Amino acid sequence: MISIVIPIFNEEENLQNLYNRLTAAAPSWGEDYEIVLVDDGSRDSSLTMMRVMAEKDSRVRVVKLSRNFGHQPAISAGIKIAKGDAIVIMDGDLQDPPEELHRFLAKWREGYEVVFAVRTKRKEGFFKKMAYSTFYRILAWISDIEIPLDSGDFCVMDRKVVNVLVHEMPEQLRFVRGMRAFAGFKQIGVTYERAERAAGEVKYTFKKLVQLALDGLFGFSSFPLRLATYMGFIISIPSFFLGIFFVLHRLIGFKVFGHAPEETPGTASLAVGMYFLGGVILIILGILGEYIGRIYIEVKKRPFFVIDEVIEKK
């Protein structure tokens, strides 16, 4: 059986179209299936619409979270509840076309345990596309593991991969595409053209995108910590030679830019150096604070989602 896991947050304008397109595409999959809709604290009529779908169609199951936990925890809740041998993750805004799923499932049947989507085109604005592209390339460069470029959450995972994510990777700050890459197994990318949002407003605000980027960068790379060491060497080595230069300038008495030693007290250079070093120290403290904050969240071991209700046809 195939489970299609879809996090939903205020998607009343897309839900019926999403359901219609999924059920229309289902015959091409050639398998029994279930649709797991995860309500992530929606404030519109999304939950009511999903209840109606679940009451009419036994293949629809609705997981209602107790509040809005965020996109990645909602995905995690859905894959925990899913019963399928293959689990599909896709968004509810129809930017991930259900009509493309048969290509992913064909690769899964060939023996690939993770089939992830690679976006060839995006229908967002120029600056947003540039931000996404830059983030993925920085993440690929500094990550401790290989995370495929331009791959999002849209994917098919075999049951044994999902079991690893659910039972053996209990971290609180979830970055599912990174966890998927960390888990390993036989993986392959399938290219597709990412569509525009079908209707409604974008739910991933700039703040949420920045948070997701930080979760990816700090969750799968120790490079920011090493950056403090690199910056220390970059600053200290030139400073050492500059210090020798000024000692000789003072002892030997040669002129610097036409000025004798007594004419170069160095107030300006000291001020610039202090402000520069102060900025570097604050950056390093900020990086350490990010890691310490994440350690604090992890050691509390609070659940990263709370399920209020599972709605399905009896």
Side-chain angles (χ1 to χ4, degrees):
M1 188 175 74
I2 298 164
S3 296
I4 301 98
V5 173
I6 308 173
I8 299 294
F9 177 65
N10 295 342
E11 293 288 358
E12 62 181 2
E13 295 170 288
N14 289 314
L15 267 170
Q16 191 60 52
N17 192 17
L18 173 67
Y19 174 79
N20 293 343
R21 287 177 60 178
L22 278 169
T23 52
S28 66
W29 308 337
E31 305 282 354
D32 190 17
Y33 68 95
E34 66 170 356
I35 301 171
V36 181
L37 302 172
V38 184
D39 178 62
D40 188 26
S42 295
R43 294 185 291 270
D44 61 4
S45 62
S46 295
L47 180 60
T48 302
M49 294 175 67
M50 288 187 283
R51 282 185 185 275
V52 172
M53 291 177 185
E55 289 169 2
K56 291 182 177 179
D57 190 344
S58 60
R59 295 168 302 187
V60 176
R61 303 168 69 210
V62 179
V63 181
K64 180 182 178 295
L65 301 186
S66 61
R67 63 171 175 84
N68 177 247
F69 285 88
H71 186 259
Q72 301 294 298
I75 289 174
S76 301
I79 64 175
K80 182 177 182 179
I81 291 293
K83 300 176 181 178
D85 303 294
I87 289 83
V88 177
I89 297 173
M90 60 186 296
D91 285 338
D93 54 12
L94 290 170
Q95 288 188 287
D96 303 329
E99 295 79 9
E100 296 287 333
L101 272 179
H102 69 95
R103 299 171 55 216
F104 292 72
L105 293 167
K107 290 294 182 184
W108 170 66
R109 291 189 186 96
E110 289 176 17
Y112 291 98
E113 288 139 333
V114 176
V115 185
F116 56 86
V118 179
R119 300 153 176 166
T120 55
K121 291 183 180 179
R122 305 184 69 108
K123 302 293 179 65
E124 287 109 351
F126 173 76
F127 291 106
K128 194 170 183 180
K129 286 192 286 188
M130 283 296 297
Y132 274 117
S133 178
T134 302
F135 163 69
Y136 282 120
R137 277 144 189 81
I138 291 175
L139 181 60
W141 176 50
I142 71 172
S143 177
D144 298 329
I145 60 173
E146 184 179 348
I147 298 179
L149 285 174
D150 301 316
S151 64
D153 294 317
F154 187 25
C155 68
V156 174
M157 292 186 289
D158 189 82
R159 166 53 59 185
K160 65 181 177 182
V161 180
V162 169
N163 286 342
V164 171
L165 267 60
V166 170
H167 302 296
E168 299 181 37
M169 300 180 73
E171 54 246 51
Q172 312 295 300
L173 299 170
R174 317 287 282 182
F175 186 65
V176 173
R177 66 201 73 171
M179 297 167 67
R180 183 182 70 203
F182 178 87
F185 299 101
K186 192 177 180 182
Q187 305 200 9
I188 190 172
V190 174
T191 58
Y192 83 114
E193 185 173 332
R194 187 166 170 81
E196 291 182 296
R197 165 175 271 275
E201 297 180 355
V202 175
K203 303 305 185 296
Y204 248 125
T205 62
F206 178 75
K207 181 181 178 181
K208 289 180 179 179
L209 286 172
V210 169
Q211 186 58 54
L212 181 66
L214 292 176
D215 288 342
L217 292 172
F218 288 104
F220 292 89
S221 175
S222 56
F223 178 83
L225 287 173
R226 294 195 297 269
L227 184 64
T229 304
Y230 299 151
M231 292 177 73
F233 279 112
I234 290 169
I235 294 168
S236 61
I237 292 173
S239 299
F240 175 75
F241 288 108
L242 189 63
I244 292 176
F245 173 81
F246 277 110
V247 168
L248 294 175
H249 167 57
R250 178 65 63 179
L251 293 176
I252 299 175
F254 60 84
K255 292 185 176 182
V256 177
F257 300 118
H259 297 283
E262 60 273 11
E263 297 173 335
T264 56
T267 305
S269 58
L270 275 174
V272 170
M274 287 176 63
Y275 281 122
F276 178 68
L277 282 174
V280 170
I281 291 168
L282 287 174
I283 290 171
I284 293 169
L285 287 174
I287 291 171
L288 291 173
E290 279 288 339
Y291 280 101
I292 292 170
R294 288 161 193 276
I295 293 169
Y296 174 65
I297 291 171
E298 294 293 339
V299 298
K300 287 189 292 187
K301 296 188 182 301
R302 290 176 182 170
F304 41 90
F305 62 82
V306 176
I307 295 176
D308 180 21
E309 183 183 4
V310 177
I311 305 158
E312 56 189 324
K313 189 173 183 179
K314 302 299 182 182

